Amino acid sequence: MPTPVISPREADVLALLGEHLSNAEIAARLFISVRTVESHTSSLLRKLALPDRRALSRRAVELARAERPRPAPALPAPLTAFVGRERERAALAVLLADHRQVTAVGPGGVGKTRLALAVAAGAAGGFADGVWFVDLAPVTGPDRVPAAVAAVLGVGEQPGQGIDEAVCAALAERRALLVLDNCEQVRDGVAPFLERLLAACPGVRVLATSRARLLVPFERVFPVPPLSRDGGGRSEAVALFVERATAAAGAAPDPALRDGIAAVCERLDGMALAIELAAARWPTLGLDGLRAGLSDQLRILAGGPRADDRHRSVRAVLDWSHELLEPADQALLRRVSAFVLPFTAGAAVAVAGFAPLDAGAVADGLGRLAEQSLLSAVPSAHGTRYRAQETIRQYGAERLDGAGESARARGRHLDWCLSGADGLARASDEERQLREGSWQAGFDALAEELRAALAWAADRPERRPDARRLALGLAGPAFDRHLLGEAQQRLEQAADLADGSPADAAAALREAARVAGCRRLGDDMYRLHRAAAAAALDAGDPAGAARDLAAAATVAHRFSSTFARLPAAAEVTALLARARELSDGSPAASAALALAEAAVLADAYGSVQGSPDNTARETVGYAERAVDLARRAGDPVAESAALDALSGAHSWAGEPFAAAGAARRRVELLALAPRTPATAHERVDALAMAAATAIGVGELERARQWGRQLAEHPLTAEVGHHATSWLLVADAFAGREEEVLAGGARFLEAWEQGGRPRSFSLGPAAAAVAMVHGLRGDDTARASWLAVVGRAGTEEEHRHGYGAVFDAAVLLHRGEAGAALERLSPAPEEVWKWVSWVWLHWYAAARVEASVLSGHPEAPERLAGARATVAGNPVAVAQLDRAQALLDGDPARVRATAAAFAAAGCRYQSARSLRLADAAGNGAGGGEG
């Protein structure tokens, strides 16, 4: 049995299923969302007729042994045969081969889309990473173009990036063809997007269709001519007419009539849509009826530019086809133009079913319109759906306006969308605990309709309350669908639509700020909290404004590394002072102020702009007060943020166990909290902090547990570098080399596709991978990863903090104890800000070992002093015990520490103890070679 044709992305997913990776791991590897992985998995199960995931993994292994299936073009399957156009196909294919961006230009109905699809299908073999078709007709605004492309590609949003940047990053190393259809209505969005895409992605080519050229660099325009009428009855135009007429009538027209058909096609200027509409009437009118009916309609075409005539010929045939309809069917055709996506009969009843149409008339009329090629009937898993070709839909919209029914039909469409949005929200709530749910497919099928209805309602004063409701209805499902940029956009739009209700505006802006936090956009968080404060003051809620201003001040320090431009210190201090003035002393306001004071005055979060001279004990006091007040306020999000401050404060005070304890409490606190943007943001941050601080106290298995949870969280599915960073560090310290090398490849791909950002966690992760390569003796790979460290982290952290720890491990492994000691020469208290957080115990223990192995005269004193520092850390204590045994010249005690390291989950150090014991017994130094 032949292997079914699968898409390029399905082939990638299938291959990784064969490696027994989880959905989160596959998502991280392929730089797509978890939802997309599950969708592809379901499709593969269906296509390969397999019962479950295990069988799918086995099949993947079998296929891996054979030649990998060739990716099929991701193009829509035409419902009818493509006829003629041999010359145009060849010419357009040559142009596409020679130029990176080609626009097929012509009036509506000339056949641009079908020609582009035929050429793209023929060119698919030359694009290793696939051919992708994006229909821009349903897109409601220029700003939605990148999102529409991303949805087709399966590219999710990257925190800290725009969706257009994520698309460019995903395609940067790909060789793919992108087909953009119906560009004319969103040309202002297509042009700048293509400029960025083509500049960033040298292997990508674009074939666009538009009624007008796009005016972008690289563009080559291909004017699409009408179908050829050369050859009379044997022309391409006649061949199309005959093919469509045969489909409509069930029998081909008499060959003797071909010359008469050629005359009709000539009158129709060879316009493909006009010919198809005329052919659909063949069974009822015949040749004479067509000639008579079209003659009256086409008399208006005498004179004038031929390009204009051709466009008018389609309009004339549409007018003629419309006049042949019964009044009820005319009403139905214009009313269903409110839909921008394929729709069901039930949806048509809801929107178009008002006098003179009832439900029965709508259902019957849909069938008749399909018979006349004015609608296409497309079977789907959820029943038949109908859609109009874009030119016909636009014609229907004009007729709707002309009939004076636009407000009523579009109002009913808006009501239908509001009901659909409510249903999505209910389904999302019910399935929120599941990784993916059927509601998501429902959202995908409905989202563009919701966006179109929202755009219409927002411009009409009487419908702005409904527009606000719909914006909020879109925001929640968009967030759950991981469309975080749109969720934020809709919340800001809802605030703008909250006419006369500044309290509602403030609530929407606060929620938008929380979504911005999930996107790692510090500037937006700061701006939105300040905007919420202004709205709260307008609403007569000074206490709410105080909380918002305090939140803005906190954000400026807590998430300082996510800002493109940090606000001035004086500005932030002024916000805090204003918040104090407005506070009513309520528990919520007091908690918000206390947290802002811990952030701004005490630098509890160790912000980018923070002073290296903060007073550790005072910082702990600020943070403890914030935790106490947040708990009294009964706000788990505020308490989590305060615990984050406390964890940071304890780390500055040199209390890593207390820091780890506060981080652990955050995870426990948020475990049962409902999933909202605020709790989702806190949970991701809490898992990262819990994993990091557990590493700091040598709890490697617990760190790996939280690191895995972070890697599998839905919000991190698109950001494999952030998702896996602490898991890489934990695995590196544990000596899990293979896991580090595999995870490092995923990390590197995601980091590069994410725009190579800097972060406090990314530098250590890259340094951890570099260390593993160093321990394996691969200096070339280590050098490459150290270069990544330089771009992913900061120089000070690498020089004095994690970099010293990881570099020393490699030097000790190679027997270069003196060089290791030089790398660790400052005492921990001299570089406390760089080592106190996660690295203090690792730094102190490695420094003692280097001192002992290099014979430093202060080794005994350093060892004794480090005992108090690392007490309770199983890995660091074992390392000091080993150093003491080496200092005492006792190989047996050195060997005994192997068990302690093994119990702590540190396999590398366990093996190192055995090698050091052997070396000590033989009188050699501490090198491993």
Side-chain angles (χ1 to χ4, degrees), residues 569-766:
E571 178 180 302
V572 176
T573 303
L575 291 183
L576 179 55
R578 180 60 173 153
R580 285 169 170 160
E581 293 173 5
L582 295 171
S583 175
D584 62 352
S586 64
S590 298
L593 279 172
L595 185 61
E597 290 167 350
V600 178
L601 304 181
D603 191 31
Y605 296 110
S607 61
V608 169
Q609 68 273 39
S611 168
D613 299 322
N614 65 349
T615 305
R617 294 314 315 170
E618 183 181 355
T619 304
V620 172
Y622 272 103
E624 287 178 336
R625 179 171 177 268
V627 171
D628 180 59
L629 289 173
R631 187 178 296 117
R632 292 185 192 181
D635 184 344
V637 172
E639 186 176 350
S640 171
L643 284 168
D644 190 23
L646 182 59
S647 182
H650 279 307
S651 75
W652 305 140
E655 300 167 348
F657 283 100
R664 182 168 59 250
R665 283 162 58 192
R666 290 182 70 195
V667 175
E668 295 166 352
L669 176 69
L670 295 166
L672 299 178
R675 185 173 183 265
T676 65
T679 59
H681 185 206
E682 282 294 326
R683 181 161 176 77
V684 167
D685 186 73
L687 287 170
M689 295 303 100
T693 53
I695 289 170
V697 295
E699 296 177 352
L700 296 182
E701 189 50 46
R702 180 170 281 177
R704 295 183 71 248
Q705 172 191 339
W706 283 323
R708 284 193 297 270
Q709 290 182 32
L710 177 64
E712 293 172 359
H713 195 283
L715 276 185
T716 63
E718 307 293 348
V719 283
H721 45 313
H722 288 293
T724 62
S725 56
W726 290 115
L727 187 57
L728 284 171
V729 174
D731 280 341
F733 276 134
R736 296 176 173 270
E737 294 185 1
E738 296 304 321
E739 288 92 332
V740 172
L741 297 181
R746 296 195 294 272
F747 172 95
L748 185 60
E749 180 181 13
W751 177 72
E752 289 178 339
Q753 292 180 334
R756 300 182 175 183
R758 290 184 184 271
S759 169
F760 70 92
S761 65
L762 300 181

Side-chain angles (χ1 to χ4, degrees), residues 236-250:
E236 290 181 345
V238 170
L240 176 64
F241 185 102
V242 170
E243 199 278 335
R244 301 298 190 259
T246 300

Side-chain angles (χ1 to χ4, degrees), residues 391-743:
T391 300
I392 296 174
R393 192 187 73 81
Q394 293 175 7
Y395 175 84
E398 292 177 10
R399 285 283 182 175
L400 188 66
D401 291 339
E405 294 180 340
S406 183
R408 188 171 185 187
R410 296 190 186 281
R412 289 170 68 95
H413 178 256
L414 173 62
D415 294 337
W416 176 77
C417 286
L418 285 167
S419 177
D422 290 342
L424 283 174
R426 288 192 299 271
S428 175
D429 289 341
E430 293 167 0
E431 299 182 16
R432 198 181 293 273
Q433 301 305 316
L434 301 177
R435 182 58 60 99
E436 296 291 334
S438 59
W439 75 269
Q440 295 183 337
F443 175 82
D444 292 344
L446 188 61
E448 285 297 349
E449 297 289 357
L450 303 184
R451 294 167 185 138
L454 174 56
W456 177 82
D459 288 337
R460 286 155 181 79
E462 73 280 6
R463 300 309 298 255
R464 281 174 68 85
D466 290 322
R468 174 181 169 275
R469 180 183 156 201
L470 187 53
L472 292 173
L474 255 173
F479 180 83
D480 287 336
R481 198 70 176 92
H482 313 305
L483 300 174
L484 305 188
E486 180 170 12
Q488 179 182 330
Q489 175 192 1
R490 299 308 173 193
L491 288 164
E492 293 193 54
Q493 186 176 19
D496 184 61
L497 291 166
D499 301 329
S501 181
D504 288 338
L509 290 166
R510 288 181 195 118
E511 194 75 353
R514 292 158 184 158
V515 176
C518 296
R519 301 177 69 202
R520 300 177 62 85
L521 297 177
D523 304 78
D524 277 8
M525 294 180 73
Y526 183 74
R527 169 181 62 83
L528 290 164
H529 277 305
R530 295 191 66 180
L537 283 175
D538 288 344
D541 179 16
R547 295 194 302 273
D548 292 320
L549 290 175
T554 300
V555 163
H557 280 257
R558 186 183 181 195
F559 301 111
S560 58
S561 65
T562 68
F563 276 73
R565 186 195 68 81
L566 276 171
E571 178 180 302
V572 176
T573 303
L575 291 183
L576 179 55
R578 180 60 173 153
R580 285 169 170 160
E581 293 173 5
L582 295 171
S583 175
D584 62 352
S586 64
S590 298
L593 279 172
L595 185 61
E597 290 167 350
V600 178
L601 304 181
D603 191 31
Y605 296 110
S607 61
V608 169
Q609 68 273 39
S611 168
D613 299 322
N614 65 349
T615 305
R617 294 314 315 170
E618 183 181 355
T619 304
V620 172
Y622 272 103
E624 287 178 336
R625 179 171 177 268
V627 171
D628 180 59
L629 289 173
R631 187 178 296 117
R632 292 185 192 181
D635 184 344
V637 172
E639 186 176 350
S640 171
L643 284 168
D644 190 23
L646 182 59
S647 182
H650 279 307
S651 75
W652 305 140
E655 300 167 348
F657 283 100
R664 182 168 59 250
R665 283 162 58 192
R666 290 182 70 195
V667 175
E668 295 166 352
L669 176 69
L670 295 166
L672 299 178
R675 185 173 183 265
T676 65
T679 59
H681 185 206
E682 282 294 326
R683 181 161 176 77
V684 167
D685 186 73
L687 287 170
M689 295 303 100
T693 53
I695 289 170
V697 295
E699 296 177 352
L700 296 182
E701 189 50 46
R702 180 170 281 177
R704 295 183 71 248
Q705 172 191 339
W706 283 323
R708 284 193 297 270
Q709 290 182 32
L710 177 64
E712 293 172 359
H713 195 283
L715 276 185
T716 63
E718 307 293 348
V719 283
H721 45 313
H722 288 293
T724 62
S725 56
W726 290 115
L727 187 57
L728 284 171
V729 174
D731 280 341
F733 276 134
R736 296 176 173 270
E737 294 185 1
E738 296 304 321
E739 288 92 332
V740 172
L741 297 181

Side-chain angles (χ1 to χ4, degrees), residues 65 101 146 310 458 478 517 588 708 711 795 902:
R65 297 192 186 105
Q101 201 273 302
R310 289 164 186 156
R708 284 193 297 270
E795 183 180 351

Side-chain angles (χ1 to χ4, degrees), residues 835-904:
V835 302
S836 60
W837 177 46
V838 171
W839 318 109
L840 176 61
H841 289 179
W842 300 93
Y843 187 97
R847 186 169 184 265
V848 166
E849 181 171 320
S851 298
V852 169
L853 289 174
S854 65
H856 193 281
E858 295 180 9
E861 290 80 8
R862 291 179 178 181
L863 197 157
R867 287 284 185 188
T869 299
V870 306
N873 182 320
V875 179
V877 167
Q879 195 167 0
L880 292 188
D881 288 344
R882 186 172 68 194
Q884 184 69 64
L886 288 167
L887 188 64
D888 296 340
D890 190 339
R893 281 168 48 209
V894 173
R895 185 177 298 276
T897 61
F901 282 118

